Amino acid sequence: MSFLEVIIKILVILLVFSALAGFGTYLDRKFLGLIQKRLGPTHVGPWGLLQVLADGIKLFLKEDILPQNSNMIIFRLAPIIAVATAFIAMAPIPFLPEFEIFGKTIRPIVSDINVGILFVLSVSAVGMYGPLLAGMSSGSKYSLIGAARAVSQLLSFEVVSGLSILAPIMIVGSLSLIDINNYQSQSIFDWLIFSQPIAFVLFLIAGYAETNRTPFDLLEHEAEIVSGYITEYSGLKWGIFFIGEYANMFTLSFIVSIIFFGGFNPIGFVPGGIAILLKVAFFIFLFIWVRATLPHIRPDQLMSLCWKVLMPIAIINILITGFIII
């Protein structure tokens, strides 16, 4: 793969998923309105589609406030770390099967490394420094408390996501997302969801907590007076955090589709490229559906769920999988 090809792929990923992150806010508001029997965006453009453009213009033009007692350099750096790690984690993800353009074979993956899933989990974990530095540099006790709560939540559920994914890896025998996809290529019954349903549920719950989605959206709790670690942020910096959040949603949707639901393998007469896009679209809708349906939980309930319920179940699932393989 040439250097120019890698650069082009990186630019395509940045442009596509930045646009999808903005469009994700529209889908969030539209589906939440439909599910909860109220209006979503309706007035700006047909079906409210131009609301995304209006929100983007508003964020660009809003005053960029820097708190007086903040650490200016780290305060500016924190949102960049949050969004950069979200996009870097996409590097080993095969978004679509190979296809040809003008006789040239295109592989829709930036880097097919043999530890792909480990790379995704590691880079996602580094993204924790975004909320941490944002809260610490703001010069606000509310932001600092929010950062402490964010880090405790992210660290806890990183353990669950790492343990839950071990069982499918033991079955496949590889950390490469390409290998995991190919393992499920024979038929729909080879999908790992059938042999590892517990790992799927645990990984999905941990993913919801790490992407700050309801009912686990305690990093910046919209129902509270202050907004956690981003209390002091405004304008474009505030928006960058949310671009990272929605980018992580798409990353999680692709990862779950590849590991547990056959990836980009064709389903009957449905081509592989369309199949994986349909799977990802379903999981994005599931994100919104859960947000519209379930109530928030308290931080102590979240930690109890993680350490007292999910982690023991993940360890037991690993042990059972190991005994079956042996």
Side-chain angles (χ1 to χ4, degrees), residues 157 160-162 164-165 193 196-216 249 251-257 260-261 279 282-284 286-287 290 310:
F157 281 90
V160 175
S161 62
S164 63
I165 210 68
I193 181 62
Q196 288 295 325
I198 295 176
F200 162 68
V201 173
L202 292 173
F203 188 74
L204 195 63
I205 293 174
Y208 274 55
E210 292 175 50
T211 53
N212 190 31
R213 296 291 295 186
T214 305
F216 307 131
M249 284 173 52
T251 299
L252 178 65
S253 299
F254 271 101
I255 291 293
V256 171
S257 300
F260 295 101
F261 288 89
K279 295 167 190 174
F282 168 76
F283 283 110
I284 293 296
L286 190 62
F287 270 109
V290 169
L310 300 182

Short mmCIF file of all heavy atoms in Angstrom, two decimals, residues 157 160-162 164-165 193 196-216 249 251-257 260-261 279 282-284 286-287 290 310:
data_model
loop_
_atom_site.label_atom_id
_atom_site.label_comp_id
_atom_site.label_asym_id
_atom_site.label_seq_id
_atom_site.Cartn_x
_atom_site.Cartn_y
_atom_site.Cartn_z
N PHE A 157 -15.13 0.21 33.00
CA PHE A 157 -15.74 -0.52 31.89
C PHE A 157 -14.73 -0.94 30.83
O PHE A 157 -15.03 -1.81 30.00
CB PHE A 157 -16.89 0.30 31.30
CG PHE A 157 -18.14 0.20 32.11
CD1 PHE A 157 -18.39 1.10 33.13
CD2 PHE A 157 -19.04 -0.83 31.89
CE1 PHE A 157 -19.54 1.00 33.90
CE2 PHE A 157 -20.19 -0.94 32.66
CZ PHE A 157 -20.44 -0.03 33.65
N VAL A 160 -14.18 -4.48 31.76
CA VAL A 160 -15.26 -5.36 31.30
C VAL A 160 -15.17 -5.62 29.80
O VAL A 160 -15.30 -6.77 29.34
CB VAL A 160 -16.64 -4.76 31.66
CG1 VAL A 160 -17.77 -5.60 31.07
CG2 VAL A 160 -16.80 -4.64 33.16
N SER A 161 -14.94 -4.57 29.01
CA SER A 161 -14.86 -4.76 27.56
C SER A 161 -13.67 -5.64 27.19
O SER A 161 -13.77 -6.50 26.31
CB SER A 161 -14.77 -3.41 26.85
OG SER A 161 -13.60 -2.70 27.24
N GLY A 162 -12.54 -5.47 27.88
CA GLY A 162 -11.36 -6.30 27.61
C GLY A 162 -11.59 -7.76 27.96
O GLY A 162 -11.24 -8.66 27.19
N SER A 164 -14.56 -9.30 28.28
CA SER A 164 -15.64 -9.89 27.50
C SER A 164 -15.18 -10.31 26.11
O SER A 164 -15.66 -11.30 25.56
CB SER A 164 -16.81 -8.90 27.39
OG SER A 164 -16.43 -7.73 26.70
N ILE A 165 -14.24 -9.55 25.53
CA ILE A 165 -13.80 -9.85 24.18
C ILE A 165 -12.78 -10.99 24.14
O ILE A 165 -12.48 -11.53 23.06
CB ILE A 165 -13.20 -8.57 23.53
CG1 ILE A 165 -13.42 -8.58 22.01
CG2 ILE A 165 -11.72 -8.43 23.84
CD1 ILE A 165 -14.85 -8.44 21.63
N ILE A 193 -22.07 -14.57 17.62
CA ILE A 193 -23.18 -14.26 18.52
C ILE A 193 -23.83 -15.53 19.02
O ILE A 193 -24.35 -15.58 20.14
CB ILE A 193 -24.22 -13.35 17.81
CG1 ILE A 193 -25.37 -12.99 18.75
CG2 ILE A 193 -24.75 -14.02 16.56
CD1 ILE A 193 -25.00 -12.20 19.96
N GLN A 196 -21.15 -17.05 21.53
CA GLN A 196 -20.75 -16.13 22.60
C GLN A 196 -21.80 -15.05 22.84
O GLN A 196 -21.50 -13.85 22.77
CB GLN A 196 -19.40 -15.49 22.25
CG GLN A 196 -18.21 -16.41 22.35
CD GLN A 196 -17.96 -16.86 23.79
OE1 GLN A 196 -18.18 -16.12 24.74
NE2 GLN A 196 -17.53 -18.10 23.94
N PRO A 197 -23.04 -15.41 23.14
CA PRO A 197 -24.06 -14.37 23.38
C PRO A 197 -23.78 -13.55 24.64
O PRO A 197 -24.07 -12.35 24.68
CB PRO A 197 -25.35 -15.18 23.53
CG PRO A 197 -24.91 -16.55 23.95
CD PRO A 197 -23.59 -16.77 23.27
N ILE A 198 -23.20 -14.18 25.66
CA ILE A 198 -22.90 -13.46 26.90
C ILE A 198 -21.82 -12.42 26.65
O ILE A 198 -21.91 -11.27 27.11
CB ILE A 198 -22.48 -14.44 28.02
CG1 ILE A 198 -23.64 -15.36 28.37
CG2 ILE A 198 -22.00 -13.69 29.25
CD1 ILE A 198 -23.30 -16.44 29.39
N ALA A 199 -20.77 -12.81 25.90
CA ALA A 199 -19.71 -11.86 25.58
C ALA A 199 -20.26 -10.68 24.79
O ALA A 199 -19.85 -9.53 25.01
CB ALA A 199 -18.61 -12.57 24.78
N PHE A 200 -21.19 -10.94 23.89
CA PHE A 200 -21.80 -9.86 23.11
C PHE A 200 -22.53 -8.87 24.00
O PHE A 200 -22.35 -7.65 23.88
CB PHE A 200 -22.76 -10.45 22.07
CG PHE A 200 -23.75 -9.45 21.52
CD1 PHE A 200 -23.31 -8.41 20.70
CD2 PHE A 200 -25.09 -9.54 21.83
CE1 PHE A 200 -24.21 -7.49 20.20
CE2 PHE A 200 -26.00 -8.62 21.34
CZ PHE A 200 -25.56 -7.59 20.52
N VAL A 201 -23.36 -9.37 24.91
CA VAL A 201 -24.12 -8.49 25.79
C VAL A 201 -23.19 -7.68 26.69
O VAL A 201 -23.36 -6.46 26.85
CB VAL A 201 -25.11 -9.32 26.65
CG1 VAL A 201 -25.79 -8.43 27.70
CG2 VAL A 201 -26.16 -9.97 25.76
N LEU A 202 -22.16 -8.33 27.23
CA LEU A 202 -21.22 -7.63 28.10
C LEU A 202 -20.46 -6.55 27.34
O LEU A 202 -20.28 -5.43 27.82
CB LEU A 202 -20.23 -8.63 28.71
CG LEU A 202 -20.79 -9.64 29.71
CD1 LEU A 202 -19.71 -10.66 30.09
CD2 LEU A 202 -21.32 -8.95 30.96
N PHE A 203 -19.99 -6.89 26.14
CA PHE A 203 -19.22 -5.93 25.33
C PHE A 203 -20.09 -4.75 24.93
O PHE A 203 -19.63 -3.60 24.93
CB PHE A 203 -18.67 -6.64 24.09
CG PHE A 203 -17.71 -5.81 23.30
CD1 PHE A 203 -16.42 -5.58 23.77
CD2 PHE A 203 -18.08 -5.25 22.09
CE1 PHE A 203 -15.52 -4.81 23.06
CE2 PHE A 203 -17.18 -4.48 21.36
CZ PHE A 203 -15.91 -4.27 21.84
N LEU A 204 -21.36 -5.01 24.61
CA LEU A 204 -22.25 -3.93 24.20
C LEU A 204 -22.54 -3.00 25.38
O LEU A 204 -22.53 -1.77 25.22
CB LEU A 204 -23.56 -4.51 23.65
CG LEU A 204 -24.44 -3.55 22.86
CD1 LEU A 204 -23.72 -3.06 21.61
CD2 LEU A 204 -25.77 -4.20 22.50
N ILE A 205 -22.80 -3.56 26.56
CA ILE A 205 -23.06 -2.73 27.74
C ILE A 205 -21.84 -1.88 28.07
O ILE A 205 -21.95 -0.68 28.34
CB ILE A 205 -23.45 -3.60 28.95
CG1 ILE A 205 -24.82 -4.26 28.71
CG2 ILE A 205 -23.50 -2.78 30.23
CD1 ILE A 205 -25.21 -5.25 29.78
N ALA A 206 -20.65 -2.51 28.04
CA ALA A 206 -19.42 -1.75 28.31
C ALA A 206 -19.21 -0.67 27.26
O ALA A 206 -18.78 0.44 27.59
CB ALA A 206 -18.22 -2.70 28.34
N GLY A 207 -19.55 -0.97 26.00
CA GLY A 207 -19.42 0.03 24.94
C GLY A 207 -20.35 1.22 25.15
O GLY A 207 -19.96 2.36 24.91
N TYR A 208 -21.56 0.96 25.64
CA TYR A 208 -22.48 2.05 25.93
C TYR A 208 -21.92 2.96 27.02
O TYR A 208 -22.05 4.18 26.95
CB TYR A 208 -23.84 1.50 26.38
CG TYR A 208 -24.77 1.17 25.23
CD1 TYR A 208 -24.35 0.33 24.21
CD2 TYR A 208 -26.05 1.69 25.16
CE1 TYR A 208 -25.18 0.01 23.16
CE2 TYR A 208 -26.90 1.40 24.11
CZ TYR A 208 -26.45 0.55 23.10
OH TYR A 208 -27.27 0.25 22.06
N ALA A 209 -21.29 2.35 28.03
CA ALA A 209 -20.71 3.14 29.11
C ALA A 209 -19.52 3.95 28.62
O ALA A 209 -19.33 5.11 29.01
CB ALA A 209 -20.30 2.23 30.26
N GLU A 210 -18.69 3.36 27.75
CA GLU A 210 -17.49 4.04 27.28
C GLU A 210 -17.79 5.12 26.26
O GLU A 210 -17.00 6.05 26.09
CB GLU A 210 -16.52 3.02 26.69
CG GLU A 210 -15.93 2.08 27.73
CD GLU A 210 -15.07 1.01 27.10
OE1 GLU A 210 -14.20 1.38 26.29
OE2 GLU A 210 -15.26 -0.17 27.41
N THR A 211 -18.92 5.00 25.56
CA THR A 211 -19.30 6.04 24.59
C THR A 211 -20.23 7.08 25.21
O THR A 211 -20.73 7.96 24.49
CB THR A 211 -19.99 5.41 23.36
OG1 THR A 211 -21.06 4.57 23.79
CG2 THR A 211 -19.00 4.60 22.55
N ASN A 212 -20.48 6.98 26.49
CA ASN A 212 -21.25 7.99 27.22
C ASN A 212 -22.69 8.09 26.71
O ASN A 212 -23.20 9.17 26.46
CB ASN A 212 -20.56 9.36 27.10
CG ASN A 212 -21.17 10.39 28.03
OD1 ASN A 212 -21.67 10.05 29.10
ND2 ASN A 212 -21.15 11.65 27.63
N ARG A 213 -23.31 6.93 26.55
CA ARG A 213 -24.68 6.90 26.07
C ARG A 213 -25.63 6.46 27.19
O ARG A 213 -25.27 5.68 28.06
CB ARG A 213 -24.82 5.94 24.89
CG ARG A 213 -24.04 6.34 23.68
CD ARG A 213 -24.58 7.58 23.02
NE ARG A 213 -25.93 7.38 22.48
CZ ARG A 213 -26.58 8.27 21.77
NH1 ARG A 213 -26.03 9.45 21.50
NH2 ARG A 213 -27.79 8.03 21.30
N THR A 214 -26.85 6.99 27.14
CA THR A 214 -27.89 6.61 28.10
C THR A 214 -28.06 5.09 28.07
O THR A 214 -28.04 4.49 27.00
CB THR A 214 -29.22 7.27 27.71
OG1 THR A 214 -29.02 8.67 27.61
CG2 THR A 214 -30.29 7.00 28.74
N PRO A 215 -28.22 4.43 29.23
CA PRO A 215 -28.43 5.02 30.57
C PRO A 215 -27.14 5.28 31.35
O PRO A 215 -27.18 5.51 32.55
CB PRO A 215 -29.24 3.93 31.27
CG PRO A 215 -28.73 2.65 30.68
CD PRO A 215 -28.42 2.97 29.23
N PHE A 216 -25.99 5.24 30.67
CA PHE A 216 -24.70 5.39 31.36
C PHE A 216 -24.03 6.73 31.05
O PHE A 216 -22.82 6.86 31.15
CB PHE A 216 -23.75 4.26 30.95
CG PHE A 216 -24.32 2.89 31.11
CD1 PHE A 216 -24.25 1.97 30.09
CD2 PHE A 216 -24.96 2.52 32.28
CE1 PHE A 216 -24.78 0.69 30.23
CE2 PHE A 216 -25.49 1.26 32.44
CZ PHE A 216 -25.40 0.34 31.41
N MET A 249 -19.30 5.93 18.60
CA MET A 249 -20.51 5.13 18.37
C MET A 249 -20.39 4.32 17.09
O MET A 249 -20.71 3.12 17.07
CB MET A 249 -21.74 6.04 18.31
CG MET A 249 -22.22 6.56 19.63
SD MET A 249 -23.54 7.79 19.44
CE MET A 249 -24.71 6.93 18.38
N THR A 251 -17.58 3.47 15.57
CA THR A 251 -16.51 2.49 15.77
C THR A 251 -17.05 1.26 16.49
O THR A 251 -16.81 0.12 16.08
CB THR A 251 -15.36 3.11 16.58
OG1 THR A 251 -14.81 4.20 15.86
CG2 THR A 251 -14.26 2.08 16.83
N LEU A 252 -17.78 1.48 17.58
CA LEU A 252 -18.35 0.36 18.34
C LEU A 252 -19.32 -0.44 17.47
O LEU A 252 -19.32 -1.68 17.52
CB LEU A 252 -19.07 0.88 19.59
CG LEU A 252 -19.76 -0.18 20.45
CD1 LEU A 252 -18.74 -1.13 21.05
CD2 LEU A 252 -20.60 0.46 21.55
N SER A 253 -20.14 0.23 16.67
CA SER A 253 -21.09 -0.47 15.82
C SER A 253 -20.38 -1.36 14.80
O SER A 253 -20.80 -2.50 14.55
CB SER A 253 -22.00 0.54 15.10
OG SER A 253 -22.74 1.30 16.02
N PHE A 254 -19.30 -0.87 14.20
CA PHE A 254 -18.53 -1.68 13.25
C PHE A 254 -17.86 -2.85 13.96
O PHE A 254 -17.86 -3.98 13.45
CB PHE A 254 -17.49 -0.82 12.54
CG PHE A 254 -17.98 -0.16 11.29
CD1 PHE A 254 -18.35 1.18 11.29
CD2 PHE A 254 -18.09 -0.88 10.11
CE1 PHE A 254 -18.82 1.79 10.14
CE2 PHE A 254 -18.55 -0.27 8.94
CZ PHE A 254 -18.93 1.06 8.96
N ILE A 255 -17.28 -2.59 15.14
CA ILE A 255 -16.58 -3.65 15.87
C ILE A 255 -17.55 -4.78 16.25
O ILE A 255 -17.25 -5.97 16.07
CB ILE A 255 -15.90 -3.08 17.14
CG1 ILE A 255 -14.75 -2.16 16.76
CG2 ILE A 255 -15.41 -4.20 18.05
CD1 ILE A 255 -13.59 -2.86 16.11
N VAL A 256 -18.71 -4.42 16.78
CA VAL A 256 -19.70 -5.43 17.18
C VAL A 256 -20.18 -6.20 15.95
O VAL A 256 -20.34 -7.43 16.00
CB VAL A 256 -20.89 -4.76 17.90
CG1 VAL A 256 -22.02 -5.75 18.10
CG2 VAL A 256 -20.45 -4.20 19.24
N SER A 257 -20.41 -5.51 14.84
CA SER A 257 -20.86 -6.17 13.62
C SER A 257 -19.82 -7.16 13.09
O SER A 257 -20.17 -8.25 12.63
CB SER A 257 -21.18 -5.13 12.54
OG SER A 257 -22.19 -4.24 12.96
N PHE A 260 -19.19 -10.18 16.15
CA PHE A 260 -20.29 -11.06 16.56
C PHE A 260 -21.31 -11.36 15.46
O PHE A 260 -22.05 -12.33 15.57
CB PHE A 260 -21.02 -10.45 17.77
CG PHE A 260 -20.19 -10.36 19.00
CD1 PHE A 260 -19.61 -9.15 19.38
CD2 PHE A 260 -19.95 -11.47 19.79
CE1 PHE A 260 -18.85 -9.06 20.54
CE2 PHE A 260 -19.19 -11.40 20.94
CZ PHE A 260 -18.63 -10.18 21.31
N PHE A 261 -21.37 -10.56 14.41
CA PHE A 261 -22.45 -10.70 13.44
C PHE A 261 -21.96 -10.89 12.00
O PHE A 261 -22.60 -10.43 11.06
CB PHE A 261 -23.39 -9.49 13.52
CG PHE A 261 -24.24 -9.49 14.76
CD1 PHE A 261 -23.77 -8.90 15.93
CD2 PHE A 261 -25.48 -10.09 14.78
CE1 PHE A 261 -24.53 -8.89 17.08
CE2 PHE A 261 -26.26 -10.10 15.93
CZ PHE A 261 -25.79 -9.50 17.08
N LYS A 279 -26.09 -3.75 9.30
CA LYS A 279 -25.82 -4.11 10.69
C LYS A 279 -25.43 -2.88 11.51
O LYS A 279 -25.91 -2.68 12.63
CB LYS A 279 -24.70 -5.16 10.76
CG LYS A 279 -25.06 -6.49 10.12
CD LYS A 279 -23.81 -7.37 9.95
CE LYS A 279 -24.12 -8.58 9.10
NZ LYS A 279 -22.89 -9.38 8.80
N PHE A 282 -28.37 -0.71 12.18
CA PHE A 282 -29.21 -1.25 13.26
C PHE A 282 -28.64 -0.89 14.62
O PHE A 282 -29.39 -0.50 15.53
CB PHE A 282 -29.32 -2.78 13.14
CG PHE A 282 -29.92 -3.43 14.35
CD1 PHE A 282 -31.29 -3.36 14.58
CD2 PHE A 282 -29.12 -4.09 15.28
CE1 PHE A 282 -31.85 -3.95 15.71
CE2 PHE A 282 -29.67 -4.68 16.41
CZ PHE A 282 -31.04 -4.60 16.62
N PHE A 283 -27.32 -1.01 14.79
CA PHE A 283 -26.74 -0.72 16.11
C PHE A 283 -26.77 0.77 16.43
O PHE A 283 -26.90 1.15 17.59
CB PHE A 283 -25.31 -1.27 16.19
CG PHE A 283 -25.27 -2.76 16.39
CD1 PHE A 283 -24.83 -3.59 15.39
CD2 PHE A 283 -25.70 -3.32 17.58
CE1 PHE A 283 -24.81 -4.97 15.57
CE2 PHE A 283 -25.67 -4.69 17.77
CZ PHE A 283 -25.24 -5.53 16.76
N ILE A 284 -26.67 1.62 15.40
CA ILE A 284 -26.84 3.06 15.63
C ILE A 284 -28.27 3.34 16.08
O ILE A 284 -28.50 4.13 17.02
CB ILE A 284 -26.50 3.85 14.36
CG1 ILE A 284 -25.01 3.74 14.03
CG2 ILE A 284 -26.89 5.32 14.52
CD1 ILE A 284 -24.08 4.34 15.06
N LEU A 286 -30.13 1.23 17.61
CA LEU A 286 -30.24 0.67 18.96
C LEU A 286 -29.72 1.65 20.00
O LEU A 286 -30.28 1.78 21.10
CB LEU A 286 -29.47 -0.65 19.04
CG LEU A 286 -29.68 -1.49 20.31
CD1 LEU A 286 -31.14 -1.92 20.43
CD2 LEU A 286 -28.77 -2.72 20.28
N PHE A 287 -28.64 2.36 19.68
CA PHE A 287 -28.14 3.42 20.57
C PHE A 287 -29.25 4.42 20.88
O PHE A 287 -29.46 4.80 22.04
CB PHE A 287 -26.98 4.16 19.89
CG PHE A 287 -25.61 3.59 20.16
CD1 PHE A 287 -24.92 2.93 19.16
CD2 PHE A 287 -25.02 3.73 21.40
CE1 PHE A 287 -23.65 2.43 19.39
CE2 PHE A 287 -23.75 3.23 21.64
CZ PHE A 287 -23.07 2.57 20.63
N VAL A 290 -32.31 2.83 22.90
CA VAL A 290 -32.00 2.68 24.33
C VAL A 290 -32.05 4.03 25.03
O VAL A 290 -32.59 4.15 26.14
CB VAL A 290 -30.62 2.02 24.51
CG1 VAL A 290 -30.16 2.09 25.97
CG2 VAL A 290 -30.67 0.57 24.05
N LEU A 310 -21.01 -7.46 36.10
CA LEU A 310 -20.49 -7.68 34.75
C LEU A 310 -19.12 -8.35 34.76
O LEU A 310 -18.87 -9.28 33.98
CB LEU A 310 -20.42 -6.36 33.99
CG LEU A 310 -21.75 -5.62 33.80
CD1 LEU A 310 -21.53 -4.35 32.98
CD2 LEU A 310 -22.78 -6.50 33.13
#
